Amino acid sequence: MQSLTCAPSCTSLHSSAIRGGQTPRDTARWTQATSTSHCSRHARRRVLQRVQAMQSGKGGTRQQDDSGSPAAGLGSGGAQPPPAAAPPLLSTSTVDDGNEGGNGASPSSSGSKAPTGEGSNDGWPSWLSKSDVETVAIAVAVSYAIRLVIAEPRFIPSLSMFPTFDVGDRLVAEKLTYRFSRPPSTGDVIIFRPQRGVGRDSSWLDDNVFIKRIVAVAGDSVEVRGGKLVVNGLPRTETYINEAPSYVLQRLVVPEGHVFVMGDNRNNSYDSHIWGPLPVENIIGRACWKYWPPQKWGGLEDWSDVSKLTGAAASLTTENASALPVAPPLK
């Protein structure tokens, strides 16, 4: 519409030029130059007016459509649609990965994640992290599984196993040997739960567990006489005990499925010589390692070879027998 404004002036100039006697070609050239100069002034004036209108906030802007043609703005009398609202900014914490095709924003109107405090919807306290709770729970479960199946730590509360263990010593009891390798044998130091009626009853807060040494297994005969432990008629030479027993135990045979246990501190031990043989099913594990105090760090000596306990006694008996005088032959 604005481009048609300068057309009458250009037409009048063209008519006057023809009446002045100029040739049509000269007249066309002069008309084109004059029209171009005249229209350029009008165009510059319109551009200046639009710039002033844009600066004052009252004018419209010329926009380009898809075809490249200019679109009239507000300054030309056309109604311009209001600008579309900018899309809300999405935070990385509010993206819903599982909502395919959606906008991925949280229900919050502000577009930000709701605080997880005591007043949050899930009720989880702000000072406690769920990942930390999961880590602690897994660690506790693994630790309990190891303690239940593989090994567990124990401490010594009394002097019944002195001098092998002192009060306050700490040890590791393993549980794999008796399950996969061999049954309990003579010389093993074991931890176990005593029979009902022996000592105090166990509870969740007070675990009633004993520690003793196996001195005889099922089928062996056991007796204590003359300050010696006698098993199957042979006295034992035990270098690990504190002192020789001062009591007498009448001969008995260990029943099937049981073991006979005694403390290394024989005169200060509540063991099988008082309450009888121990069921094998009550055994928890075998003591194998001492880790506290540091100066006692190391494994326990293996006394499962019975020949170590009876070899000295047998050799002494043989020497005494050879030293006896030979009886004269009968006539």
Side-chain angles (χ1 to χ4, degrees):
M1 298 292 291
Q2 293 179 354
S3 62
L4 297 178
T5 306
C6 63
S9 299
C10 297
T11 305
S12 61
L13 292 173
H14 177 67
S15 301
S16 61
I18 294 175
R19 286 193 299 268
Q22 296 178 354
T23 64
R25 179 176 296 179
D26 295 338
T27 302
R29 292 177 179 175
W30 180 85
T31 301
Q32 182 178 2
T34 305
S35 177
T36 303
S37 176
H38 186 72
C39 293
S40 299
R41 287 195 298 270
H42 280 279
R44 287 195 297 270
R45 188 180 298 111
R46 287 195 300 272
V47 170
L48 182 59
Q49 290 175 356
R50 285 198 298 270
V51 170
Q52 293 175 353
M54 292 174 62
Q55 292 178 352
S56 61
K58 298 180 180 180
T61 58
R62 185 180 299 273
Q63 300 177 353
Q64 295 288 335
D65 57 6
D66 295 338
S67 62
S69 62
L74 292 177
S76 62
Q80 182 178 5
L89 297 178
L90 297 181
S91 173
T92 56
S93 60
T94 61
V95 175
D96 184 6
D97 295 334
N99 186 14
E100 296 183 359
N103 57 8
S106 65
S108 174
S109 59
S110 62
S112 61
K113 187 176 181 179
T116 58
E118 295 181 356
S120 59
N121 295 331
D122 57 0
W124 196 266
S126 59
W127 55 268
L128 188 61
S129 173
K130 290 183 178 180
S131 60
D132 293 342
V133 173
E134 293 175 355
T135 302
V136 172
I138 293 174
V140 171
V142 172
S143 175
Y144 184 76
I146 293 175
R147 181 185 179 93
L148 184 65
V149 178
I150 300 177
E152 66 177 82
R154 287 285 176 176
F155 74 97
I156 305 299
S158 68
L159 290 172
S160 65
M161 285 295 293
F162 185 81
T164 305
F165 293 105
D166 203 346
V167 176
D169 288 355
R170 296 181 179 271
L171 58 94
V172 175
E174 59 89 13
K175 304 180 179 182
L176 300 178
T177 298
Y178 296 157
R179 292 180 179 177
F180 304 107
S181 181
R182 60 175 176 82
S185 63
T186 301
D188 291 346
V189 177
I190 61 172
I191 60 172
F192 60 91
R193 293 183 176 87
Q195 304 180 65
R196 184 175 298 275
V198 176
R200 60 184 182 277
D201 294 334
S202 300
S203 64
W204 288 103
L205 298 178
D206 185 11
D207 192 12
N208 185 25
V209 175
F210 285 12
I211 178 170
K212 306 293 179 187
R213 188 184 297 273
I214 299 177
V215 297
V217 295
D220 291 341
S221 63
V222 182
E223 59 181 322
V224 177
R225 51 183 173 83
K228 286 286 187 179
L229 172 66
V230 181
V231 179
N232 296 327
L234 297 175
R236 293 284 176 84
T237 303
E238 302 170 301
T239 59
Y240 46 74
I241 64 175
N242 183 39
E243 56 185 0
S246 58
Y247 53 84
V248 176
L249 174 66
Q250 298 297 325
R251 183 179 181 274
L252 60 88
V253 177
V254 181
E256 192 66 32
H258 291 69
V259 292
F260 201 89
V261 296
M262 301 179 72
D264 290 350
N265 192 359
R266 294 291 162 84
N267 295 320
N268 189 21
S269 176
Y270 187 51
D271 52 32
S272 291
H273 89 274
I274 298 175
W275 40 262
L278 171 73
V280 174
E281 61 187 12
N282 288 27
I283 299 176
I284 299 174
R286 181 179 69 94
C288 62
W289 195 271
K290 190 186 303 183
Y291 66 90
W292 190 262
Q295 60 268 22
K296 295 183 179 180
W297 173 278
L300 301 183
E301 188 175 357
D302 185 11
W303 290 100
S304 59
D305 187 3
V306 181
S307 62
K308 294 181 181 180
L309 303 174
T310 59
S315 62
L316 180 61
T317 304
T318 305
E319 290 177 0
N320 293 338
S322 61
L324 293 176
V326 180
L330 295 177
K331 294 181 180 180

